[in-house]
Amino acid sequence: MNPVNIEPYKLPADATWLVTGCSSGIGREIATLIASKPNQRIIATARNPNDLSYLPDGNSNILKLPLDVTSVESVDAAFTAAAQQFGENFHLDVVVNNAGYSLSGDTEGATEEEIHQAMETVFFGTVRVTTRSIAVMRQAKERRGGLIFQISSLAGLCAFPGHAFYHAGKFAVEGFSESVAREMHPDWNINFCIVEPSGVKTNFEGHSKANIKPHPAYLDEDMPARKLEKYVNAGKKLGVGMEPSALAEILFMIASREERVPLRLPLGAVSWKLSKSKFETLLGDFEAVKDISAMGQEI
């Protein structure tokens, strides 16, 4: 199996960052942080560019662009605009796929339109930006490589009731990202980091989350999805979760510390503990079916 992220990554002093979903939350904090760094360039994107007014105008290192990751035309236009802005020296060093969307509720109640909208944003949007970014990075004359952060979630490793399509999208992103990372030629020095935070204090619930119409068969309070809803709502009232600014600082640290980039990065104690527990449970499950799995062969 082709190894990934072989060499330590060194962030160029004049690195160009492309960040999706910069209107609020994690994306906004990353864009704000990079804009504050001398000589670092930021291409900040949002579906509505008016949501990027928090970034100053008139700075040649800051480019604000409209970008809807669900639209092929919009993605192509954003990459074209960035290349035109920075001219023949255009390069991408760090890409943060942060644009997000969640569809929550009873799986049986989801409509075809709701399902497709969720997958378009979470999975296909990530694919579009990733593949175009790789093309820019590997074609750079200076062979300076690059780093792609995929903002996944604990939901990309562990599945919980009432979020089937969000999990499907994040699981797909993680599988896609690992596979593509293993396709990279070592000389390209293109690195991937799949970031898996647990709760983050953003307005994601009201801004980028859709709820499926409740299904009558799942309304009882003892249903797993209803129990989880109560737990999550209680956590939100208590202000549980990490600050998006702290996550932004972690990403910059990973990019600039001149060490090997981790392929997977669970963030937060909850994410680390639940992820570790899942794999420990899987190992036990594998042992329980070892004789069956062997199909008469030696394991």
Side-chain angles (χ1 to χ4, degrees):
M1 187 177 292
N2 192 42
V4 302
N5 304 351
I6 302 172
E7 299 293 332
Y9 178 72
K10 184 174 181 179
L11 183 71
D14 62 344
T16 299
W17 295 61
L18 168 66
V19 184
T20 66
C22 292
S23 61
S24 62
I26 296 170
R28 176 170 177 152
E29 293 299 331
I30 296 171
T32 300
L33 176 64
I34 302 307
S36 72
K37 302 291 183 181
N39 302 319
Q40 297 281 295
R41 293 171 169 174
I42 175 69
I43 303 169
T45 70
R47 283 177 294 179
N48 183 353
N50 291 331
D51 291 336
L52 303 173
S53 60
Y54 62 88
L55 292 170
D57 295 319
N59 186 328
S60 61
N61 286 336
I62 299 175
L63 177 61
K64 296 182 276 187
L65 293 176
L67 174 58
D68 178 357
V69 299
T70 68
S71 166
V72 174
E73 293 76 16
S74 179
V75 174
D76 288 342
F79 274 79
T80 298
Q84 291 174 343
Q85 171 72 17
F86 296 118
E88 63 180 25
N89 294 324
F90 173 59
H91 50 76
L92 283 178
D93 297 286
V94 184
V95 172
V96 184
N97 272 307
N98 169 70
Y101 181 88
S102 175
L103 178 62
S104 300
D106 306 322
T107 303
E108 278 193 63
T111 65
E112 285 286 324
E113 183 179 355
E114 289 173 327
I115 296 168
H116 283 279
Q117 178 63 35
M119 296 302 290
E120 271 293 334
T121 303
V122 177
F123 178 63
F124 290 107
T126 298
V127 170
R128 292 181 185 110
V129 175
T130 298
T131 54
R132 285 158 180 76
S133 298
I134 290 172
V136 174
M137 290 176 177
R138 66 176 173 76
Q139 293 172 20
K141 296 178 182 179
E142 301 176 32
R143 288 285 189 183
R144 55 198 289 162
L147 171 56
I148 298 177
F149 285 109
Q150 308 288 42
I151 304 301
S152 181
S153 167
L154 171 62
L157 282 174
C158 303
F160 305 100
H163 296 80
F165 302 106
Y166 185 62
H167 289 300
K170 290 300 186 183
F171 271 65
V173 164
E174 299 216 2
F176 162 79
S177 300
E178 181 172 350
S179 178
V180 175
R182 297 192 186 282
E183 291 180 29
M184 299 297 98
H185 192 284
D187 291 346
W188 296 347
N189 193 27
I190 297 176
N191 301 264
F192 280 76
C193 183
I194 304 167
V195 185
E196 299 154 331
S198 45
V200 183
K201 296 178 183 178
T202 70
N203 63 350
F204 185 82
E205 292 287 328
H207 188 264
S208 300
K209 184 172 182 177
N211 292 290
I212 301 167
K213 183 179 179 180
H215 191 286
Y218 296 84
L219 297 180
D220 290 347
E221 292 187 3
D222 64 346
M223 294 297 292
R226 302 291 83 77
K227 291 180 179 180
L228 181 62
E229 284 176 359
K230 289 183 179 181
Y231 176 80
V232 171
N233 289 334
K236 286 191 293 185
K237 289 181 180 179
L238 293 172
V240 174
M242 69 187 75
E243 296 292 341
S245 58
L247 195 153
E249 292 282 359
I250 289 288
L251 296 194
F252 188 79
M253 181 268 287
I254 292 293
S256 60
R257 65 178 182 164
E258 299 189 12
E259 296 182 17
R260 182 177 177 272
V261 175
L263 176 62
R264 282 188 166 78
L265 181 64
L267 281 184
V270 172
S271 181
W272 191 91
K273 290 178 181 178
L274 288 182
S275 299
K276 182 172 183 287
S277 176
K278 172 179 178 172
F279 287 110
E280 289 174 339
T281 300
L282 278 175
L283 288 174
D285 291 343
F286 288 166
E287 286 295 329
V289 297
K290 182 178 180 180
D291 292 340
I292 300 172
S293 297
M295 299 179 68
Q297 296 178 336
E298 186 72 24
I299 293 183

